[in-house]
Amino acid sequence: MQDEKIDIWDFFHDYASSLSEATASAYLKAIRSAQPYLTKMKSPAVCDIADWIVAIMRSGITLKTASYYLDNIASLHNAAVREGLAPSSDAFKTVKARLRALSSSRNNASCVIEDSETVLSRLRSIIRHSGRQTGDTSLFTDLFILALLDPSRGLFKTAMLVKDDVELLPEESQEIARRHLSTRRKYIFPLLQSASTPRQLLLNIEGAIVPLLRQRGLPIYGGVSATIETLWALAALECGFKASEVVATLGHVPASLPILSLADAAPIPDYKKGAIIESTAISLIDDPLQWHVMHLRQGVRMDSVKRRLEIFKDELTAPDIYYPCEEIARKIGKKLVYKEKPLISDVAFFRCRETDIYPLFQRIGDLAWCYREESASGRPYSVVPDSAMMTFMQTVGILMPGMEIYPIGEIPLTENDVVSILGGPFIGKEATVESLLQNAQQTAENGKQKTDNGKLTTDNVIPTIVRLRITADNGIEWRVTLPPHLLRPVVRP
């Protein structure tokens, strides 16, 4: 065997260049297409090759051209095998056979993919405006969306969710579910679950959802359950996930996306499947919850804004409001009287969807106004990133009610652990734990940090800090120290 250090792609380029001009041009096109995807070209796996073919077909390459590219790369790989640069592999033959079967099938393998941009745009519009619906339209639209955001649960199990399940759902799904909760009902959705067989329940749901989707211009791929899987798979592919990862997350190939039958299910752990579902859900929600800033008009107090929101609580979704105050103690006679003093008297932060801002300020516009990117009507509303809000809360030492931070020493870190930095000037960077430092004057038995109504308090806190080693992109290392609550262990597959 020749020198294993020879890059196989260099060999492909040299080999292609030695052929006739027309053949070399065809081979080089195939090389440019395949190289970003086939990183383990010496021993390519079926799923890697299939992921490449699906990706280029999503970009507009026809099945015929994709087959031609595959033939050219297979020929180049065979040449490398003859030169002793790569072991023999049946992976290309396997994918070729699947492509031939796909080509001869009556199903048009690319028709859904060609329409995916339009379809997903309409789907996002449905999700974006779902909170404006009423009656049965709201009920079945939200049921459809909730099933779509986590297709691993399926339509039937989504319909059978009970109130106790709400807290286990992701934040976006919780908001959808809470629109339909009732103290008089066990299930989230009022679908007469106890009086129906599973088959009857699904038939009733499909009968209600199909006309809703058709009315909004969404295609029906066989049935509602099949439609949910197909739409989710298209969204996951658009997010950049590989075909093999999409198939593995769903557990099978959606019937209306036969092109995914090229791929084997990738061997991925459950936590990665969860991450794929979560990332795809976020990509579909085109109107995410974000932090914005309101400015109270002169002479207006926050209590007035909250009273106004209470008046209109049945007409709009009240935002989460962060208006940090500190307690000031004053002695009047022999008694201590506590009074709250806002840190910034005329500014409050609020978290809601962009589509909720206009209805909100229709009701409170005489009390406050919302900051925009520029001081002119029609400009986008200013957004404060979640990371910046968390850093601000931690800096002033006042959290939102219901929020928690990790007590010092609670996260079990050891030397050489890889962590992600959650706050401060190094937010988003990864670092390696070099050492753990503690103040020797305080004891581990008494160290405790807690929150009291969202405010940080300390009882004999051990000021544990972690010394970190950060490596820059240019290879230079530097060291920082941070408290453990700003660190999250990084789990590698």
Side-chain angles (χ1 to χ4, degrees):
M1 180 174 288
Q2 296 186 13
D3 187 353
E4 293 186 358
K5 292 184 179 180
I6 295 177
D7 184 86
I8 196 167
W9 292 103
D10 289 341
F11 170 78
F12 286 174
H13 279 277
D14 293 341
Y15 184 86
S17 299
S18 68
L19 303 175
S20 67
E21 184 176 349
T23 304
S25 175
Y27 275 31
L28 290 172
K29 285 182 180 178
I31 289 171
R32 286 193 296 271
S33 173
Q35 191 167 359
Y37 299 94
L38 303 183
T39 56
K40 300 177 182 177
M41 190 60 216
K42 286 189 177 181
S43 302
V46 169
C47 65
D48 294 331
I49 300 171
D51 288 341
W52 163 49
I53 295 298
V54 173
I56 63 174
M57 289 185 66
R58 283 194 65 252
S59 69
I61 298 295
T62 65
L63 190 148
K64 182 177 180 180
T65 301
S67 298
Y68 182 56
Y69 281 2
L70 179 61
D71 288 339
N72 290 340
I73 294 296
S75 296
L76 289 168
H77 187 265
N78 289 336
V81 172
R82 290 193 297 271
E83 292 294 323
L85 296 175
S88 180
S89 172
D90 290 331
F92 289 101
K93 292 180 181 179
T94 301
V95 179
K96 280 184 181 181
R98 293 178 183 179
L99 264 179
R100 285 195 297 271
L102 203 59
S103 180
S104 61
S105 169
R106 291 183 179 181
N107 293 322
N108 187 330
S110 62
C111 65
V112 175
I113 286 180
E114 288 173 356
D115 296 337
S116 64
E117 187 175 342
T118 300
V119 169
L120 291 177
S121 176
R122 291 174 182 170
L123 177 60
R124 289 189 175 97
S125 178
I126 291 173
I127 296 173
R128 184 181 179 91
H129 296 98
S130 60
R132 302 280 187 268
Q133 307 302 322
T134 58
D136 282 351
T137 300
S138 172
L139 168 64
F140 291 104
T141 299
D142 284 350
L143 176 60
F144 168 77
I145 294 170
L146 205 59
L148 176 73
L149 296 182
D150 186 356
S152 67
R153 187 170 48 234
L155 184 60
F156 176 74
K157 288 185 178 179
T158 302
M160 297 298 290
L161 288 172
V162 297
K163 288 186 289 188
D164 290 344
D165 294 325
V166 173
E167 296 300 325
L168 304 177
L169 298 173
E171 182 180 18
E172 302 289 352
S173 296
Q174 285 187 27
E175 182 181 349
I176 294 171
R178 288 197 174 102
R179 296 172 191 160
H180 304 277
L181 291 179
S182 170
T183 55
R184 296 173 295 176
R185 190 175 61 247
K186 170 185 175 183
Y187 297 99
I188 293 174
F189 297 103
L191 299 168
L192 301 177
Q193 289 92 331
S194 300
S196 306
T197 66
R199 184 173 181 276
Q200 289 172 334
L201 182 61
L202 282 175
L203 285 175
N204 290 338
I205 292 171
E206 295 221 356
I209 290 179
V210 166
L212 287 178
L213 300 184
R214 285 180 173 154
Q215 182 181 354
R216 291 166 171 78
L218 279 183
I220 308 298
Y221 303 113
V224 174
S225 293
T227 299
I228 286 171
E229 291 182 348
T230 300
L231 292 173
W232 182 87
L234 291 175
L237 290 170
E238 185 188 65
C239 281
F241 293 112
K242 299 175 183 177
S244 56
E245 294 173 328
V246 172
V247 174
T249 302
L250 285 175
H252 57 271
V253 175
S256 297
L257 273 179
I259 190 174
L260 294 185
S261 64
L262 295 176
D264 294 326
I268 57 177
D270 288 343
Y271 78 85
K272 187 170 183 180
K273 293 179 184 178
I276 292 172
I277 290 173
E278 181 181 2
S279 297
T280 303
I282 291 172
S283 78
L284 285 170
I285 298 168
D286 197 30
D287 191 19
L289 289 166
Q290 298 181 106
W291 285 102
H292 303 275
V293 188
M294 73 167 69
H295 190 285
L296 304 183
R297 297 189 184 277
Q298 188 172 2
V300 173
R301 299 168 62 89
M302 178 52 64
D303 289 344
S304 301
V305 174
K306 290 182 177 179
R307 283 195 297 269
R308 182 72 61 81
L309 291 175
E310 181 65 21
I311 293 172
F312 291 103
K313 65 181 180 180
D314 295 330
E315 298 182 23
L316 52 79
T317 303
D320 294 327
I321 296 179
Y322 178 65
Y323 188 64
C325 297
E326 59 180 347
E327 282 189 342
I328 306 296
R330 296 179 59 191
K331 193 171 184 180
I332 302 178
K334 294 183 179 181
K335 298 179 67 175
L336 279 177
V337 178
Y338 293 89
K339 183 179 180 181
E340 287 195 336
K341 178 184 178 183
L343 295 185
I344 312 173
S345 61
D346 56 356
V347 171
F349 302 90
F350 66 101
R351 190 167 185 256
C352 71
R353 303 185 187 283
E354 185 177 349
T355 50
D356 290 331
I357 295 178
Y358 180 72
L360 172 65
F361 283 89
Q362 274 189 314
R363 274 76 171 186
I364 67 169
D366 59 320
L367 304 177
W369 47 270
C370 184
Y371 281 90
R372 295 179 180 270
E373 292 298 330
E374 295 180 23
S375 57
S377 61
R379 298 292 185 180
Y381 295 108
S382 297
V383 175
V384 182
D386 286 347
S387 58
M389 281 301 303
M390 179 56 73
T391 300
F392 177 63
M393 290 180 191
Q394 291 175 333
T395 300
V396 301
I398 303 174
L399 302 181
M400 283 281 292
M403 292 181 64
E404 297 179 357
I405 64 172
Y406 284 108
I408 287 175
E410 184 174 302
I411 301 179
L413 296 176
T414 58
E415 292 183 9
N416 297 320
D417 281 352
V418 177
V419 294
S420 178
I421 299 174
L422 305 180
F426 302 100
I427 188 169
K429 291 188 176 295
E430 288 189 2
T432 303
V433 174
E434 187 170 90
S435 59
L436 305 177
L437 309 174
Q438 288 187 350
N439 187 330
Q441 296 178 353
Q442 295 179 319
T443 61
E445 290 78 9
N446 295 326
K448 185 181 180 183
Q449 187 181 67
K450 61 184 179 180
T451 62
D452 181 14
N453 294 325
K455 298 181 180 181
L456 300 183
T457 63
T458 305
D459 298 331
N460 296 325
V461 174
I462 303 175
T464 303
I465 57 175
V466 183
R467 187 171 179 81
L468 303 168
R469 185 171 64 253
I470 302 177
T471 303
D473 295 337
N474 57 9
I476 297 175
E477 288 189 350
W478 71 93
R479 286 163 174 76
V480 298
T481 53
L482 289 172
H485 70 266
L486 291 183
L487 306 175
R488 179 178 60 196
V490 174
V491 180
R492 302 295 190 196

